[in-house]
Each structure stands twice: as structure tokens, then as C-alpha cells.
Amino acid sequence: MSSFYRKAVLATGLAFAATTATAQENVMVVFDGSNSMWGQIDGTAKIEIARDVMDTLLGEWTEEREVGLMAYGHRRRGDCGDIETLVQPGAQTRATILEQVGGITPTGKTPLTDAVERAATELAYTDRPATVVLISDGLESCERDPCELARALEQGGVGFTAHVVGFGLGADQDDTSLSCIAEETGGTYIQASNAEELKAAMSSVSTAVADTTPDPEPALPEVTVTGPGTAIGGSIIEVTWDPTAETGDFLTIVPAGTAATEHGETQSVNEDKTVNFTVPADQGMYEIRYIHADGEEVLGTDALEITRPEVVLTGPEMVLTGEDFTAGWSPTINPNDYVTIVPTGAETGASASYVTVRDKSEGELSAPADPGFYELRYVLSVDKRTVATRAIEVAAPEVTLDIPETALAGSKFPVRWTGTVNAQDYITVVPAGTKEGEFGNYFVVRDASENQLQAAAETGLYEVRYVLREGNKTLASAPIEITAPEVTVTGPETAQTGSKFPVSWTGAVSGNDYVTIVPTGTDEGEFGNYIVVRDKTENQLQAPAETGMYEIRYVLREGNKTLATTPIEITAPAVTVTAPETAATGSKFPVSWTGTVSSNDYITIVPTGTDEGEFGNYITVRDRTENQLQAPAETGMYEIRYVLREGNKTLATTPIEITAPEVTVDAPDTALTGEKFMVSWTGTVNNQDYVTIVPAGTAEGEFGNYITVRDRTENQLQAPAETGMYEVRYVLREGGKTLATDMIEITAPEVTVTAPETALAGSAVRVSWAGTVSNQDYIAIVPAGADEGEFGNYITVRDRSENDVRAPSSPGLYEIRYILREGGKTLATRPIEITEPEVTVSGPSEVRATDTLKVSWTGTVDPGDYVALAPMGSGDDDFSNYFSVRDQTERDMKAPETPGMYELRYILREGGRVLARQPVEVLDADAALNSGAELTAPDTAAPGSTIDVGWTVEAESADQRITIAAADQAIFTWIEAVKITGDPPVSLTLPDDPGIYELRFLDVSNQQVLARKVIAVE
């Protein structure tokens, strides 16, 4: 099949449909000058082919139009801004454009999106009609979305059109991003794979640009609308239509005879061509109408008769106030209708408790809080009209409460009740005489008949009330007196700041009450450090950081009321801290202390005179009396401080001087870029310090490649990729401060790489090199002119001087590069041309399902390539049935179970590209296979019976035989064979075992199977 195809992306779907244009329309030709235009087709560079056919594009229409030329990628490598207008749009520019095209030298990238946008702008596309013709051999390479731009140009332009010619695109390239430029702007997209097809494409685009005949306005179609014919008022119906005229069209339901411009409820058209309507409640004759987007033209109608809705309601005759009860209804008119309970005679539309009917036939309602006569109503959602009612009486329930006469403030006391109306009702305690609807502490009754209720914090006379959730109405109440509890709290007379001291208490009211310590006279409700009493009578409490007179308070959680207090004095502890007089910057030095207050206190080092609460390097004291502390990076006078964790208060200090250490670092005078060289040092301060290499004069704190010193005095350091003067620095981990430096010059290595001039696509290419810098460097193969840092297939050099690298799957000009691992810098290159392999694959043209077929091939590229048998037309990545070619030239494979057209494919392992194909038809498992002869015999026969077998044959030979074999038996083996010596038929005795067998006509002399026929022995 020719790869030349066309996509005319107009609404009519016709290939090469003409684009609407006007005589005033200017045209800009955008020409691909990227490096890939040097690629060859049939031995000729694509740039030369394009130049030769440009005159075909620039036809007679250029005499009447202003035409310009723009190119991209023709001046600079790797520059996405390389776009230039070579010929400004003007009259009589054909000769100038052809001359300029002849001077374009393909060089760089493919910024086709930016180029199309700039061309549209120069044509003033927002003010007047404009046409862009894009000629490109590749896809966008500068990270923009051509489709998004095309949509923007179409929406913002005045008759903007883009035609696109894709030339010589690779088989694995998705051209969607090119074709959508034309599709979105109403232009033509054509792909060409050789010179002849490109010339035809240019001619077609020229015709499209020249055609200025406007398309006629299409007539609006007649639309068929289909509804149910009849429907119950307020119900939901399904309406369909065909076809859809425009996306903005809509449907509506109106009384028969309504003017075309009047609408009821509307529904917009959709892709499914189906909508649901809630019909009006009033009975009568209606029309379902399909309305054009302009809102005035009716394109289709269907008659609809709406009948009166009739519903029957069921429910109890009497319920208790607030009680949940079940109401039923039949039928459901609309899932959005609802059933409600309202006072008898309430206005239409009134509702209280209600349930939406949905797809059910009954639901739960809550009775009102006030007794009286009510009615159940079934209400249509469409207009809130009532279509059914049922009378119901709501009566008062009998509820009782049982509680103690008194309870302690904040305690929990038992409550019992009878006559629960609703599980969501609640019981609350409030001061006697509190207004109806107000509540204090409470619990929900749920399905219980007793529970615990929390007493208020204040003493006095209260009421316990059973309250109906529906309307918050009190159904029962009982009095209770809240009295003061007797609580004591005890603690020591004194405690040290920050320490933990014992506290005990009696008379706990609630496990959630708490004991706190606060300064004497602190306002009620405030608290400091505290503990929750829970089910204990004693615990440890944390003393504050400041000395002075305090109170220990037992506080009721309910209302935060203090029930008991005891005084305590907080005194200063006696703490000492000891350290050496001096220490080197960044080093660890010993610190000891006495008089620990809390294991969470800490020792820190700060500059002398630092504000209280600030800290530097530190250690937590825990259960020790000594430890190691890290010195800071800067020299000077410091303080070691023992700091109380509670309040971060300093309890003891001692001075220390931090001095500079004596460190040296030694490196060679020179090293090659990327290599590892030996560095040594003396005077290690901390094994976490590091040695780094940076350009001479680099700012303090910056670093390049580095090694951590640990417990060594020398190690290997990696040189950078760039040549120049550098410094090797010994850097203190603490503060990143440089303690010693040594100068080193990084020089360029001498590296060579050797490879053959050509290699087959996907093959293993032997490459050798000299001058290895690092065994982590690598050899890569990339397209000629690829940017530095890009890489394709590659190998790591390790300790070798030669190895194989895999050639890419696409033919073209490439480079073999030796690349320094450090910095990804190329040190040596070698050009190589990757050529197309010549591969064939062969097999039988027909084979029965599940049979074995022999496959052979020539021109193996790589042992890792594979041969696949896939359905005809499936993707090239379909290789569910395959094998690797290895060092063979032929192999057997099993045919699929499903009959149909298949193809054998030779697939290159590198890139998964198909290099050769051959069609194979898979026949039914019992199909006769004839290739020079034909067998006649019964389809079935009894075990052990004798049958006659006839035949015809196109050519006779010295040894031809008719055999019977098992269905899966090798071709030239059999159960019984008869050599042909005369005319047909011959007799064969069938096997005794039932099963599926095969009769075969074998040409033994020429080792050929001429015919096969299946026979069932049963």
C-alpha cells in the first residue's frame, strides 16, 4: 500500500475539499529548514526534492495574491528562536520566493508552532482573511502544542486557514500534531513519502489555496422526534431524536398550538440523542419540539397526551407526637415527588416532615410535636400540587423519669425513663424554671432506658427533662438538687523549679477533673502545668521554671471550678556545669554536670552574652552526668549553659574559648578532567568534615565533587569535567568553613574513538577507544549534530578498550561519541552511517489452525531480533506469538487457534521495527489443504473399518503415497501408508482407537505434502 495519503479536514469529509477564501486573502509559505531535511529519500536529500517542486505550489494564483516566505531552523543549531521572514508578503513574489528557497541550508531545530504563529501575526490574521502553507519533514521539537495554537488562531482570526504538507515522516512518528493544525483551521493535510508524492501534494494544496469559492450555507435538516405518545402528569419521559442539526439546539414540551418562539422546560441536545423530561402536571394535548439554536425555528415535533395523575396513600390512623412511622404510596409518579405530614387544611405547598419517594413505595416520617388532626399528602415535584391525601391523628405520649433527689456538682448520676417516643429524643439537666427549648448537659436516649447524666458545676435546684427531638418539646421532668462535693488535695511544702513532685487527692468527682499548679492568687479558670486525675489518687506534677509562692488546685472539669487548694513554694535548684577552657572549632569536647533537675534539660554552647532562651549546638542530659558537645565553626569566647527544659531557664554556666585548628590538604599540581586523583590531609577535626574541589576563587560555603574524611588521611577525589584552575579545600562540616586549600590545574585528556563507516540499523557495532579517563565514561551513538548531553544507545567503557554498541533502528547519519561521565562532556567523536538491512521472511501461504508451520528468513541483523505471527492489520507491537531468531535461519511455530488473515513479520529488536512481512491465511482446523493434489474420502468412519480413498494429482513422481496419521503427527511419519502404483481408489484400514486423524497425499520423492484431509474415527 502506498504511504501517500491525504486528510481533508472539512465538515463534508471530502478529500481535498476547497477551503473558503477571498480574493483579498494574503498567503505565507512556512518552509522547514531544520537539520533533518538533509535526510535522503531514494538517494536524494529531502531539501533538494522540496526545492524542485516548490514551483508546483506557486501556481497562477500568486499573480492575484500577496505571497510571502518564512523559514525556520535554517541558520543556527539548537535555537528555537531561529525563525526568519525571507520574503515579505507582496505582489509578484513568485520568482523571489523560489530564489530564496534555493538558498536555504538546513541547520537546526523544528519550532514549527512559533513559526505558524508568527506567520499568522504578520498576515494580520485578526483583521483580515489569511492563509498559511506549512511544509515540514518533522514534528514540533521546541515544546509547544501545535493543536492548541491552531484552535486559538481559528477562534481569534478572521477566516484563518492553514494547509500542511508532511514530507518524509518516519513510520513510527505520530503525525497527529501536524494534521490537527489543518483540522482545527479548516485546511488540508497531506503526507508524502517521496518526490512524486510531494509534487502531487503541492499541486493539491495549490488548488486548495487558489479556490476562492465560498461554501453554500447548508440547509437545516428535518428532525424526527420520538416520545412515548402519552404520559402521566408530572412523570419523567424519555425523548429521542435524529439527526442533531447543531450542538446548540434544544428540546421543549409546550401545549399544542403554542407559538414557535415560546418554550417550556428545555433540554439541550447531546451525543446520545436521548434526554429525560419531567412533563407538566396539567392534563391535555402537548407537543415535544426540537428547536434550532436560534430559538425560533422548529425542526421536528411529536404529539404527547398528558393524563391526570392518580395516587393512593396508606399509613396508620393514629401516631404519637414525635414518633417515626411508615407511610406508603402507589404508584410513584416521579422519583422527585414527596410525601409529607401537615395540619388538616394547610395551604397547598406547605410541608413539615417529608420523605422523597425515589424508587420506593414507602418511607419513614416523623410525627409533629403537637397533638391534633393532620393529613398525609403526596406532592408532585413539578409544581408542588397535592394529588392524594390521607387523614391521621397525632396523640400525646406518656413519658416518665426516675432520678436521685441530689447529686454532686460535676458528677455523673443515673437517669431512668419509660415511654420513649423517638430514639433521637434527649434528656437534659437545666436550672429549675429554665425556658422551654433551652438545654444544659444532655444525652440522646437512643434504644436505652437508662444512662448517666453529667451534673452542672454550680450548686442549686435543677430539673431533669425528657425532651422530644421533634419541636424540642418537654414531655416529662423531675427535680434534683446539685450539692457541693468534699475534695482535698495534698502536696509538699516546697519543690525545685522544673522538677516533678508528688501530689495526692481525695473525693475525686470525675476522672476528667485535673490538678494544676498556678501562682498564688491566679484567677479562677486559668491553669499551668497539670495532670488529669483519671482513676488515680496520686501522681507527679511538673514544677514551673520560676521560683515563688504557688497553689496546687483540684479543678472540676465541668465548669473548670476549683474544689480544693494547697500552697507550695518553688525554690531554685543547685546545678553546676564543667568543660575544658578551650576547644578547636568544629571539634567534640567533654562536658559534665551535677544537680540534674529533669532528664529533658539540656547543655548548649552559645557566644558569651547570648540572650536567655537562645541556643546553639546542644545535648539532652537524660540520665547521664557527662557527654560530648560539638564546638561551633567560628573562633571566639563562648558559654556552656545548663538549661532547664521547663521554661528554657539557664541554671549554670561556664566559659570556653573556641580556637582555630591546624589543618593541611595536599593535592597534585594537575589532573585530567573527570579522572580520580589522590588527596591527603592532616589535622582532621571531625570525621564528618569533607574535602572538595571548586573553581579558584569560589565563594565560601559552595562545593563541587567531594569526599568525607571519616577516619582516613587520604582518598580519591573526582576531577570536574571542565578544564581550568581549581582549589582543593578541607571544609569543616560544622558551619561549612574552609580550613585549608591547595591549588590544582585540571587539563584536557587525549581520547580517540574508532568505528566502521557504516552499519545496519539495529545491528551490534564494534567500537574501540583509547585514552580512557574513567571506567564510568560511556560510548553513545546519537544523530549527527545532536545537542551536547543527549545520548541514545550506549555502553560503559569500564576496563575495556573495545565493545559492541547497538545501532539505532532508523537509517541516517549518526555520531559515535566518547562521553565523560563527569559532566556528560563529549571528548571524541566518529561519524557513522546507519543503513537499512535487507531482510526476507518466508512461510506457507495457508496453514490450518493450531498446525505447525515452517518459517525461514534471510539477512539476520541481530540474534535478538524476532519473528512474529500476528493478525493482519494489527499494530507492529503485536507479538504475542513469536520467537527469537538467534543463530538460526528457519524454525517451526504453531499457528493460532482462530482462523483468519495473518502475517509473518521479521521484527528488529532495536526499536521494534518491522523489516519484512509475508501474509499467511489460517484456515479452519479441519480444512483440506491442497497444493498440487486433492483427496476424496468420507468425513467419518468406524474404528478399524476399511475405507476407499480417491485422488487427483497435477504431476506424478516416482514415490507418491497416501497415508493416515494422527492429527498432530509429524508430516512424513504415519500409522499406515499405501504407495500409489495404479489408478484410484486405494483401501486403507482405520485405527482401532477413536479420534481425529488426517489423510495425507505425500510426494516422498520431492519431500512435499500435496493434499491433507481430516477424518473422524468414531
Side-chain angles (χ1 to χ4, degrees):
M1 179 184 293
S2 171
S3 63
F4 173 56
Y5 65 93
R6 308 173 181 181
K7 300 177 182 176
V9 288
L10 300 180
T12 59
L14 298 174
F16 306 114
T19 303
T20 300
T22 70
Q24 291 75 36
E25 195 171 321
N26 293 343
V27 180
M28 181 74 81
V29 177
V30 179
F31 193 90
D32 186 349
S34 65
N35 186 62
S36 57
M37 287 288 279
W38 285 121
Q40 295 189 354
I41 294 177
D42 298 332
T44 303
K46 287 187 277 186
I47 180 65
E48 296 298 336
I49 297 172
R51 287 170 179 161
D52 289 344
V53 299
M54 272 298 290
D55 60 338
T56 304
L57 171 64
L58 302 174
E60 293 181 359
W61 58 269
T62 58
E63 300 297 321
E64 301 175 356
R65 308 274 273 283
E66 293 189 0
V67 188
L69 174 67
M70 180 177 290
Y72 59 76
H74 60 299
R75 295 177 295 181
R76 298 181 294 277
R77 295 166 66 89
D79 183 359
C80 287
D82 184 13
I83 303 169
E84 182 184 13
T85 301
L86 299 176
V87 179
Q88 289 291 340
Q92 307 298 318
T93 57
R94 183 177 188 275
T96 306
I97 291 174
L98 292 175
E99 180 182 355
Q100 288 292 329
V101 168
I104 291 175
T105 302
T107 302
K109 297 180 76 69
T110 308
L112 66 86
T113 307
D114 282 350
V116 171
E117 183 175 41
R118 187 179 299 183
T121 301
E122 291 192 12
L123 293 174
Y125 78 102
T126 59
D127 300 323
R128 59 191 180 192
T131 296
V132 170
V133 177
L134 170 64
I135 302 161
S136 179
D137 82 327
L139 307 182
E140 172 66 50
S141 65
C142 288
E143 300 183 358
R144 281 201 66 187
D145 184 351
C147 302
E148 182 179 347
L149 171 67
R151 285 189 287 272
L153 294 176
E154 173 67 16
Q155 293 170 6
V158 178
F160 178 81
T161 306
H163 303 288
V164 182
V165 176
F167 178 41
L169 297 176
D172 58 346
Q173 289 183 289
D174 182 1
D175 66 348
T176 303
S177 62
L178 283 179
S179 65
C180 75
I181 298 174
E183 291 169 2
E184 295 290 348
T185 62
T188 298
Y189 172 61
I190 306 174
Q191 188 182 130
S193 61
N194 56 43
E196 181 181 350
E197 292 176 0
L198 181 61
K199 184 173 183 179
M202 292 295 205
S203 176
S204 296
V205 171
S206 178
T207 300
V209 174
D211 188 354
T212 60
T213 304
D215 292 333
E217 288 293 331
L220 292 173
E222 182 178 339
V223 178
T224 300
V225 179
T226 305
T230 63
I232 298 172
S235 65
I236 297 176
I237 64 169
E238 182 178 274
V239 178
T240 62
W241 66 92
D242 189 61
T244 296
E246 290 187 18
T247 56
D249 297 347
F250 60 92
L251 292 98
T252 188
I253 297 177
V254 295
T258 300
T261 56
E262 295 183 13
H263 314 138
E265 178 194 353
T266 62
Q267 295 277 2
S268 297
V269 299
N270 55 44
E271 293 181 357
D272 297 333
K273 299 182 181 177
T274 303
V275 294
N276 291 325
F277 268 104
T278 298
V279 304
D282 292 326
Q283 59 185 342
M285 294 304 298
Y286 289 78
E287 282 185 357
I288 307 170
R289 293 178 176 175
Y290 182 108
I291 311 293
H292 188 248
D294 62 13
E296 296 185 356
E297 188 168 355
V298 178
L299 302 184
T301 67
D302 190 29
L304 175 68
E305 181 180 0
I306 297 179
T307 60
R308 185 167 63 88
E310 295 181 355
V311 176
V312 176
L313 282 170
T314 59
E317 294 181 355
M318 187 184 73
V319 294
L320 297 176
T321 59
E323 180 182 7
D324 288 342
F325 65 94
T326 300
W329 55 88
S330 178
T332 294
I333 304 299
N334 187 311
N336 295 315
D337 299 342
Y338 60 93
V339 174
T340 186
I341 180 170
V342 295
T344 301
E347 294 181 357
T348 299
S351 66
S353 173
Y354 73 93
V355 58
T356 304
V357 301
R358 305 193 188 283
D359 58 353
K360 300 188 284 285
S361 60
E362 62 180 20
E364 292 292 313
L365 289 173
S366 292
D370 294 320
F373 290 100
Y374 291 79
E375 62 184 14
L376 299 175
R377 292 180 178 177
Y378 185 106
V379 183
L380 292 182
S381 63
V382 67
D383 61 0
K384 303 298 185 288
R385 75 172 59 186
T386 300
V387 297
T389 64
R390 178 180 174 83
I392 185 170
E393 181 181 359
V394 177
E398 294 182 4
V399 178
T400 66
L401 282 170
D402 180 21
I403 61 171
E405 294 181 354
T406 65
L408 295 176
S411 68
K412 289 190 174 182
F413 60 91
V415 181
R416 298 181 181 84
W417 62 94
T418 64
T420 296
V421 178
N422 189 298
Q424 296 302 312
D425 298 341
Y426 58 94
I427 293 176
T428 185
V429 58
V430 295
T434 296
K435 290 180 181 180
E436 182 81 336
E438 296 186 6
F439 61 93
N441 294 337
Y442 74 95
F443 61 79
V444 179
V445 301
R446 306 195 188 282
D447 57 356
S449 59
E450 61 180 1
N451 206 342
Q452 296 283 313
L453 186 60
Q454 178 95 44
E458 300 298 327
T459 60
L461 294 176
Y462 286 78
E463 291 179 50
V464 175
R465 295 177 176 175
Y466 181 109
V467 183
L468 191 66
R469 173 73 67 178
E470 176 67 25
N472 293 311
K473 185 177 181 181
T474 301
L475 299 183
S477 69
I480 187 170
E481 182 180 3
I482 305 301
T483 60
E486 295 182 2
V487 177
T488 66
V489 64
T490 306
E493 294 182 356
T494 65
Q496 291 183 347
T497 59
S499 66
K500 288 191 174 182
F501 59 90
V503 183
S504 61
W505 54 90
T506 65
V509 177
S510 168
N512 290 319
D513 298 342
Y514 57 94
V515 176
T516 186
I517 182 169
V518 295
T520 301
T522 294
D523 291 342
E524 182 81 337
E526 297 187 6
F527 60 93
N529 296 336
Y530 71 94
I531 51 174
V532 179
V533 302
R534 304 196 187 282
D535 57 355
K536 297 191 282 280
T537 58
E538 60 181 9
N539 207 338
Q540 296 283 313
L541 185 60
Q542 178 96 43
E546 300 299 325
T547 61
M549 296 305 297
Y550 287 79
E551 293 178 43
I552 301 171
R553 294 179 176 175
Y554 181 107
V555 183
L556 190 67
R557 174 72 68 178
E558 175 65 24
N560 293 312
K561 185 177 180 181
T562 301
L563 299 183
T565 69
T566 186
I568 186 172
E569 182 180 4
I570 303 302
T571 61
V575 177
T576 67
V577 63
T578 307
E581 294 181 355
T582 65
T585 58
S587 66
K588 289 191 174 181
F589 58 90
V591 182
S592 60
W593 56 91
T594 65
T596 297
V597 176
S598 168
S599 60
N600 289 318
D601 297 342
Y602 57 94
I603 310 291
T604 186
I605 181 169
V606 293
T608 301
T610 295
D611 291 342
E612 183 78 337
E614 296 187 7
F615 61 93
N617 296 336
Y618 73 94
I619 51 174
T620 304
V621 301
R622 304 196 187 282
D623 57 356
R624 297 186 290 260
T625 59
E626 60 181 10
N627 206 341
Q628 296 283 313
L629 185 62
Q630 177 96 41
E634 300 299 326
T635 60
M637 294 306 298
Y638 288 79
E639 294 177 41
I640 307 294
R641 293 179 177 176
Y642 181 108
V643 183
L644 190 66
R645 175 72 67 177
E646 174 66 25
N648 293 312
K649 185 177 180 181
T650 300
L651 300 183
T653 68
T654 187
I656 186 171
E657 182 179 4
I658 303 303
T659 59
E662 294 183 3
V663 177
T664 67
V665 65
D666 186 39
D669 292 336
T670 65
L672 296 176
T673 58
E675 77 168 335
K676 290 190 174 181
F677 59 92
M678 185 63 69
V679 182
S680 61
W681 57 89
T682 64
T684 297
V685 176
N686 187 302
N687 59 13
Q688 294 302 311
D689 297 342
Y690 57 93
V691 175
T692 185
I693 181 169
V694 295
T698 295
E700 183 78 337
E702 297 186 7
F703 61 92
N705 296 336
Y706 72 93
I707 49 175
T708 304
V709 302
R710 305 196 186 283
D711 57 356
R712 297 185 288 262
T713 58
E714 61 179 9
N715 205 345
Q716 297 278 319
L717 184 60
Q718 178 96 43
E722 300 299 326
T723 60
M725 294 305 298
Y726 286 78
E727 295 177 48
V728 176
R729 294 178 176 176
Y730 181 107
V731 183
L732 192 64
R733 174 73 66 177
E734 174 66 25
K737 185 177 180 181
T738 300
L739 299 182
T741 67
D742 193 20
M743 297 298 294
I744 185 172
E745 182 179 2
I746 303 302
T747 60
E750 294 183 4
V751 177
T752 63
V753 63
T754 306
E757 293 182 357
T758 64
L760 294 177
S763 66
V765 182
R766 175 60 60 162
V767 181
S768 60
W769 57 90
T772 297
V773 177
S774 167
N775 58 14
Q776 294 302 310
D777 297 341
Y778 55 96
I779 307 294
I781 182 168
V782 297
D787 292 342
E788 182 80 338
E790 294 187 11
F791 63 94
N793 296 336
Y794 72 94
I795 51 172
T796 305
V797 302
R798 305 195 186 283
D799 57 356
R800 297 185 290 261
S801 60
E802 63 177 8
N803 204 347
D804 290 336
V805 65
R806 180 70 53 198
S809 62
S810 298
L813 295 176
Y814 289 80
E815 295 177 36
I816 306 285
R817 293 179 176 176
Y818 181 107
I819 302 175
L820 192 65
R821 173 72 66 176
E822 174 65 25
K825 185 176 181 181
T826 300
L827 299 183
T829 67
R830 169 86 176 181
I832 185 171
E833 181 178 1
I834 303 303
T835 60
E836 183 74 3
E838 293 183 3
V839 177
T840 66
V841 64
S842 302
S845 60
E846 294 180 341
V847 65
R848 281 201 297 244
T850 73
D851 271 4
T852 298
L853 66 154
K854 185 174 292 296
V855 182
S856 62
W857 58 93
T858 65
T860 297
V861 178
D862 186 88
D865 297 343
Y866 46 91
V867 172
L869 180 61
M872 185 76 76
S874 65
D876 287 350
D877 57 351
D878 182 350
F879 52 92
S880 53
N881 185 8
Y882 78 99
F883 59 81
S884 297
V885 302
R886 306 191 186 282
D887 57 356
Q888 307 161 101
T889 58
E890 63 178 17
R891 181 171 163 174
D892 290 341
M893 70 188 307
K894 190 174 183 180
E897 296 179 355
T898 305
M901 290 304 300
Y902 291 76
E903 64 178 5
L904 287 168
R905 299 171 179 171
Y906 183 104
I907 304 174
L908 195 63
R909 168 74 65 179
E910 175 62 27
R913 192 156 67 90
V914 177
L915 298 182
R917 307 171 190 264
Q918 184 199 305
V920 175
E921 184 176 4
V922 176
L923 305 176
D924 290 335
D926 58 355
L929 291 179
N930 301 320
S931 180
E934 186 174 352
L935 292 169
T936 55
D939 294 330
T940 61
S945 63
T946 299
I947 63 170
D948 287 336
V949 181
W951 70 88
T952 60
V953 63
E954 294 177 1
E956 297 181 353
S957 69
D959 189 354
Q960 293 182 332
R961 307 183 190 189
I962 294 177
T963 69
I964 185 165
D968 58 352
Q969 196 169 342
I971 294 298
F972 285 94
T973 65
W974 50 76
I975 297 171
E976 183 179 354
V978 176
K979 186 173 182 180
I980 296 174
T981 57
D983 295 330
V986 297
S987 295
L988 278 175
T989 301
L990 298 179
D992 293 331
D993 295 327
I996 301 299
Y997 293 85
E998 189 174 65
L999 296 169
R1000 299 170 179 168
F1001 191 114
L1002 303 181
D1003 188 340
V1004 179
S1005 300
N1006 297 308
Q1007 290 292 292
Q1008 291 181 330
V1009 183
L1010 301 185
R1012 298 162 70 179
K1013 176 177 172 56
V1014 172
I1015 184 170
V1017 176
E1018 56 188 18

